């Protein structure tokens, strides 16, 4: 079969981009594969939108079943986890190969969907679900297959990276930077999934699974967003030689897996610290290759569609050769998957930045250092800022600890917070050196 029929369900930003890549680069793809990929049907709630973008009403249908029935490959680009899940399940049951860019669907329901695909000896591919146009899933499952990966760290959400870049580079408050991101189209009218870290958490959950060979388990991923991040801490971090990024982090720590998303200080000398604007970057540490960095557009019509089409082409080759998928969905053989313990955030060991608002008076710094000494925690850097007011002598003490257990740092914070010299909430931001 040299002609592969593709059905697209959902014709928004990524759906229209997928159609554009398949049609405009038709000859390029055919030259590389020997196959002709033909968009056979497009389903969307908005017929006018489809016809306007492609100029052909014949391809449009409002019947999802029709797309599934008359396609070799079904491309689900609806988003969400209700109708999209029904569509994917129906297509897989009908023994139709599926491509999706739906990170929430994979993170929450991937386990069952993968099992259904395997039962029917068909492919369910999801490259575009993580980091848009960066082929990170293919890289990990194929390019780094000879490595044991100890950790993966990523800037996985362009909206939050744009906001943090504007706070750092232009001194904007969080609220102002968010409004600007919305005006430029980098943030949705309701940006909750982005700024609360949920979008990045879906993605790091997927990456953790294919890196460590563990079942998808979004419910155990720790999530903390950037909504409460203060411009003062972005500026202070810069002074100390760090940048703050919203990172998705997955680590194998003595067979206990950490999966977490939160604002993180990283040394400004690291390449990933200098990824600005709405871009994505992923740093993967393999035991043979060492750390490797992948950078590019994490969203957008054509960038994400590029990853969708890569999956379509891979499936087209399988169809042409009449073989079942050779690469496991997780990147590990099913009988090699392990149910490893996921670490609670209180158990992790990392670095920490603390901002302690104090009343500047004699003996305060000595008192603060005693709390750390009592827990055998070494302070790597401590700075007292100038008093903000000559009347009440309010100021900030900045402390950097490069290695400590989270639960112990929380105990120290609680003890300091109870003292009279501590004037308001202590700010804690985790720190990662990314050097081994």
């Amino acid at each position: 079969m040299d002609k592969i029929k593709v059905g697209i369900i959902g014709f928004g930003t990524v759906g229209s981009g997928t159609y554009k890549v398949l049609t405009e680069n038709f000859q390029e793809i055919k030259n590389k594969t020997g196959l002709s990929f033909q968009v056979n049907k497009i389903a969307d709630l908005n017929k006018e939108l489809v016809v306007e973008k492609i100029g052909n009403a014949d391809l449009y249908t409002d019947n999802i079943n029709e797309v599934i029935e008359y396609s070799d490959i079904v491309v689900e680009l609806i988003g969400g986890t209700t109708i999209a899940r029904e569509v994917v399940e129906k297509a897989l049951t009908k023994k139709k190969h599926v491509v999706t860019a739906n990170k929430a669907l994979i993170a929450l329901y991937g386990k069952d969907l993968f099992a259904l695909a395997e039962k029917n000896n068909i492919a369910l591919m999801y490259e575009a679900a993580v980091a848009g146009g960066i082929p990170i899933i293919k890289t990990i499952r194929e390019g780094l297959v000879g490595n044991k990966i100890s950790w993966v760290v990523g800037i996985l959400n362009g909206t939050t990276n744009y906001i943090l870049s504007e706070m750092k580079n232009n001194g904007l408050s969080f609220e102002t930077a968010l409004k600007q991101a919305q005006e430029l189209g980098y943030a949705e009218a309701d940006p909750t999934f982005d700024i609360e870290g949920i979008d990045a958490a879906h993605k790091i959950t997927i990456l953790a699974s294919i890196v460590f060979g563990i079942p998808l388990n979004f419910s155990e991923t720790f999530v903390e967003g950037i909504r409460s991040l203060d411009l003062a801490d972005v500026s202070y971090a810069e002074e100390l030689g760090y940048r703050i990024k919203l990172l998705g982090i997955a680590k194998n720590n003595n067979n206990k897996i950490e999966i977490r998303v939160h604002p993180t200080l990283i040394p400004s000398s690291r390449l990933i610290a200098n990824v600005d604007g709405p871009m994505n970057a992923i740093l993967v540490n393999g035991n043979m290759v060492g750390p490797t960095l992948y950078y590019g557009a994490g969203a957008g019509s054509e960038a994400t569609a590029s990853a969708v089409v890569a999956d379509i082409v891979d499936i087209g080759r399988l169809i042409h050769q009449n073989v079942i998928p050779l690469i496991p969905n997780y990147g590990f053989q099913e009988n090699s998957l392990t149910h490893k313990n996921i670490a609670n955030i209180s158990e992790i060991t990392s670095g920490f930045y603390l901002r302690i608002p104090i009343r500047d008076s004699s003996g305060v710094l000595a008192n603060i250092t005693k709390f750390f000494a009592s827990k055998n925690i070494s302070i790597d850097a401590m700075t007292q800022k100038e008093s903000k007011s000559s009347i009440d002598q309010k100021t900030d003490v900045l402390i950097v600890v490069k290695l400590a257990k989270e639960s112990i740092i929380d105990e120290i914070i609680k003890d300091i917070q109870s003292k009279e010299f501590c004037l308001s909430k202590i700010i804690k931001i985790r720190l990662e050196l990314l050097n081994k």
Side-chain angles (χ1 to χ4, degrees), residues 76 78-85 102 104-105:
E76 181 278 307
I78 303 169
T81 57
T82 52
I83 297 174
R85 184 183 179 188
N102 194 329
L105 183 69

Side-chain angles (χ1 to χ4, degrees), residues 137-371:
I137 291 171
K138 184 181 288 290
T139 297
I140 291 171
R141 294 196 310 187
E142 299 176 46
L144 298 177
V145 68
N147 284 257
K148 182 176 182 179
I149 296 172
S150 55
W151 52 261
V152 57
V153 169
I155 297 170
L156 300 171
N157 182 273
T159 299
T160 51
N161 201 52
Y162 175 83
I163 291 169
L164 293 174
S165 298
E166 289 300 299
M167 292 175 74
K168 174 181 69 74
N169 295 332
N170 297 315
L172 302 185
S173 67
F174 169 79
E175 292 78 11
T176 302
L178 171 58
K179 183 179 179 182
Q180 186 168 292
Q182 289 171 319
E183 291 171 350
L184 292 170
Y186 296 142
E188 301 289 343
D190 179 1
T192 302
F193 265 46
D194 293 324
I195 63 175
E196 297 295 350
I198 299 168
D199 176 79
H202 287 145
K203 296 169 183 175
I204 197 63
T205 298
I206 295 170
L207 289 180
S209 279
I210 64 173
V211 163
F212 302 128
I214 58 175
L216 291 153
N217 198 341
F218 176 73
S219 64
E220 293 194 67
T221 299
F222 174 80
V223 189
E224 180 183 304
I226 66 168
R227 187 188 292 273
S228 61
L229 199 61
D230 196 290
L231 179 59
D233 296 306
V234 175
S235 300
Y236 286 157
E238 191 81 6
E239 291 176 20
L240 293 167
Y242 298 93
R243 304 269 167 82
I244 298 179
K245 297 292 184 183
L246 182 73
L247 291 186
I249 299 170
K251 289 185 177 182
N252 186 350
N253 208 335
N254 296 320
N255 285 323
K256 206 157 197 180
I257 305 297
E258 301 173 15
I259 313 175
R260 45 193 169 100
V261 170
H262 49 70
T264 311
L265 270 76
I266 47 180
S268 56
S269 58
R270 301 282 180 260
L271 287 174
I272 197 170
N274 295 282
V275 173
D276 277 352
M279 305 302 285
N280 280 195
I282 303 103
L283 188 60
V284 184
N285 192 55
N287 68 332
M288 295 299 168
V289 73
T292 54
L293 180 68
Y294 308 89
Y295 166 88
S301 176
E302 292 168 20
T304 307
S306 173
V308 171
V309 171
D311 279 346
I312 291 171
V313 168
D314 278 351
I315 293 174
R317 286 171 167 149
L318 292 177
I319 294 171
H320 179 68
Q321 295 165 9
N322 195 28
V323 297
I324 62 174
L326 300 176
I327 300 170
N329 287 299
Y330 290 99
F332 285 72
Q333 295 298 318
E334 190 71 27
N335 59 9
S336 297
L337 293 179
T338 55
H339 291 264
K340 295 178 181 176
N341 290 329
I342 309 299
N344 185 277
I345 192 67
S346 65
E347 300 175 289
I348 74 155
T349 296
S350 70
F352 294 90
Y353 156 97
L354 304 179
R355 173 163 61 92
I356 307 172
I358 66 164
R359 180 173 290 109
D360 187 10
S361 58
S362 177
V364 170
L365 290 184
N367 278 330
I368 289 174
T369 58
K370 285 179 183 177
F371 288 109

